[in-house]
Amino acid sequence: MIYNDTIVALATASGAGAVAIIRLSGKDAIEMASKNFKSVTENKTLNKVNTHTIHLGHIVDGQRVIDQVLVSVFKNPNSYTGEDVVEVSCHGSVYIQQEIIQLFLRKGCRMANPGEFTLRAFLNGKLDLSQAEAVADLIASDNEASHQIAMQQMRGGFSSEIAKLREELLNFASLIELELDFAEEDVEFADRSQFKELVERITFVLKRLIDSFAVGNVIKNGIPVAIVGEPNVGKSTLLNALLNEERAIVSDIAGTTRDTIEDELVINGIGFRFIDTAGIRDTNDVVESIGIKKTFEKIEQAQVVVYLFDADVISHDDKKSENIIIEIEKIKNKYPLKPLLIIANKTDKLTEDKKQSLNSILSKVEGSQYLSISAKSGKGVEDLKTQLLNFVNTGALKNNETIITNTRHYDSLLKAFQEIQKVKYGLETGLSGDLMAIDIRQALYHFGEITGEITSDDLLGNIFANFCIGK
Ligand SMILES: Nc1nc2c(ncn2[C@@H]2O[C@H](COP(=O)(O)OP(=O)(O)OP(=O)(O)O)[C@@H](O)[C@H]2O)c(=O)[nH]1
Ligand SMILES: [Mg+2]
């Protein structure tokens, strides 16, 4: 699929800026730019310059000078798209950007579709599909962790891991298929013990990649942390303290927060999404009870639960403190696998003897991690952030292992894994070569889906539609 037309788009963000870049790609890119460019150096035309050079001059439309610009020329195949590419750096006024783009459209360029430059790069073999997808992730990355993962994927760490396994598997598939041609002679070209070893290795790698999706997914989307507890204990105050802004309304009226409020915060390069919820209690207020129902839904969706209680109330009210302990046990029973952090708030109000009784209450919530803070003064909020980081398994990230963040890859890996399990079973049970070859081909198919050896127009359309125009 080689394109005949030349595309144009603004490569920089829309709106006014110091400089804007307009990018052209396609077989007429250099010729078109050349016809509308007047170099400051006499007798210089763009269609005669060397590749990877930059030229000062003016974009002109007949006699009319539109702007003074710098033009970069990249000749195929050594460009981002693999085609001839011209980048015009102009002054960043929206008017100038539009004038230059309109000019090239009049001269026969077509407006690029979203992601079309990267699509062409993929079709010309400049990057594989998972690398192309990483370009979009890289542009979307807004913290250290998601940046690191996208960067690694774009540089081909993941692709080469998959490609290597695919190639080894392909070798065996060929050998087994060769055996089929010599069926009468009963020969074995494919060494079964070596093949078994390969299948084990592939299983191991696939499992690691599939498991990494749990981490990758939360890193990409932010780790959801639900802040829950009875009304008036200071949940909204804590959200504000974490974000360092007055995000949620705080008041001493119980039931202030009725809907859930969410906001993001990056802690040490990892994105967290904090969810302030309506206080949990039995209520007859219809609106509030809807909010409480939502609270449980939010716990369900959260990766970490922060349970807040009012240390001041607890330390002088035995009945209340008993209730709190029951409440905590309830959450633990309902969500046994969810990391739970218990927080005593309003410790600024505590006198020395109340602190004693608080400690004895906290010792009853055994097996849970707890912290004492004052959301109002901010005391202990930094410790809370440290605790939250401890909950996140960032081991894989630190070790620079490949982490899957893309649902499409996850899907293909799962399917490849299932097929490989069939192959493994076939090997153990001495399945005939022709049947085994079918399973291997299936596994190969799913590997190929990831890197783009196997694609369909629908799939490509879906992937690149999510890009911005100009990339
Ligand atoms: N002294 C003290 N007061 C606090 C602290 N945290 C919150 N408060 C006060 O407690 C009251 C309730 O705070 P909110 O943050 O609205 O409580 P909430 O848990 O969001 O309450 P609901 O939304 O009704 O469930 C407010 O008057 C806060 O100023 C604290 O650490 N120390
Ligand atoms: Mg609130």
Side-chain angles (χ1 to χ4, degrees), residues 124 204 323 327 425:
N124 287 322
F204 178 79
N323 278 344
E327 198 69 33
Y425 183 72

PDB file of all heavy atoms in Angstrom, residues 124 204 323 327 425:
ATOM      1  N   ASN A 124       5.651   1.877   5.529  1.00  0.00           N
ATOM      2  CA  ASN A 124       6.954   1.865   4.856  1.00  0.00           C
ATOM      3  C   ASN A 124       8.031   1.157   5.674  1.00  0.00           C
ATOM      4  O   ASN A 124       9.212   1.263   5.374  1.00  0.00           O
ATOM      5  CB  ASN A 124       7.394   3.305   4.563  1.00  0.00           C
ATOM      6  CG  ASN A 124       6.576   3.907   3.428  1.00  0.00           C
ATOM      7  OD1 ASN A 124       6.250   3.217   2.469  1.00  0.00           O
ATOM      8  ND2 ASN A 124       6.227   5.174   3.554  1.00  0.00           N
ATOM      9  N   PHE A 204       6.830 -18.797  29.672  1.00  0.00           N
ATOM     10  CA  PHE A 204       7.352 -17.950  30.745  1.00  0.00           C
ATOM     11  C   PHE A 204       7.295 -16.470  30.360  1.00  0.00           C
ATOM     12  O   PHE A 204       6.803 -15.630  31.111  1.00  0.00           O
ATOM     13  CB  PHE A 204       8.795 -18.383  31.063  1.00  0.00           C
ATOM     14  CG  PHE A 204       9.456 -17.550  32.113  1.00  0.00           C
ATOM     15  CD1 PHE A 204       9.168 -17.753  33.459  1.00  0.00           C
ATOM     16  CD2 PHE A 204      10.363 -16.553  31.772  1.00  0.00           C
ATOM     17  CE1 PHE A 204       9.775 -16.975  34.442  1.00  0.00           C
ATOM     18  CE2 PHE A 204      10.972 -15.769  32.744  1.00  0.00           C
ATOM     19  CZ  PHE A 204      10.677 -15.984  34.081  1.00  0.00           C
ATOM     20  N   ASN A 323     -17.861   0.549  66.667  1.00  0.00           N
ATOM     21  CA  ASN A 323     -18.475   0.595  65.339  1.00  0.00           C
ATOM     22  C   ASN A 323     -17.434   0.698  64.230  1.00  0.00           C
ATOM     23  O   ASN A 323     -17.543   0.054  63.198  1.00  0.00           O
ATOM     24  CB  ASN A 323     -19.408   1.797  65.215  1.00  0.00           C
ATOM     25  CG  ASN A 323     -20.756   1.492  65.822  1.00  0.00           C
ATOM     26  OD1 ASN A 323     -21.064   0.305  66.041  1.00  0.00           O
ATOM     27  ND2 ASN A 323     -21.524   2.510  66.113  1.00  0.00           N
ATOM     28  N   GLU A 327     -16.752  -1.705  61.157  1.00  0.00           N
ATOM     29  CA  GLU A 327     -16.776  -1.156  59.794  1.00  0.00           C
ATOM     30  C   GLU A 327     -15.522  -1.585  59.008  1.00  0.00           C
ATOM     31  O   GLU A 327     -15.608  -2.044  57.868  1.00  0.00           O
ATOM     32  CB  GLU A 327     -16.828   0.381  59.889  1.00  0.00           C
ATOM     33  CG  GLU A 327     -17.285   1.084  58.641  1.00  0.00           C
ATOM     34  CD  GLU A 327     -18.759   0.846  58.347  1.00  0.00           C
ATOM     35  OE1 GLU A 327     -19.581   0.708  59.293  1.00  0.00           O
ATOM     36  OE2 GLU A 327     -19.076   0.759  57.161  1.00  0.00           O
ATOM     37  N   TYR A 425       0.511 -29.054  25.480  1.00  0.00           N
ATOM     38  CA  TYR A 425      -0.274 -30.250  25.760  1.00  0.00           C
ATOM     39  C   TYR A 425      -0.074 -31.283  24.650  1.00  0.00           C
ATOM     40  O   TYR A 425       0.096 -32.473  24.902  1.00  0.00           O
ATOM     41  CB  TYR A 425      -1.757 -29.865  25.877  1.00  0.00           C
ATOM     42  CG  TYR A 425      -2.659 -31.010  26.229  1.00  0.00           C
ATOM     43  CD1 TYR A 425      -2.655 -31.546  27.514  1.00  0.00           C
ATOM     44  CD2 TYR A 425      -3.522 -31.571  25.269  1.00  0.00           C
ATOM     45  CE1 TYR A 425      -3.472 -32.602  27.844  1.00  0.00           C
ATOM     46  CE2 TYR A 425      -4.344 -32.634  25.603  1.00  0.00           C
ATOM     47  CZ  TYR A 425      -4.320 -33.149  26.883  1.00  0.00           C
ATOM     48  OH  TYR A 425      -5.129 -34.198  27.210  1.00  0.00           O
TER      49      TYR A 425
END
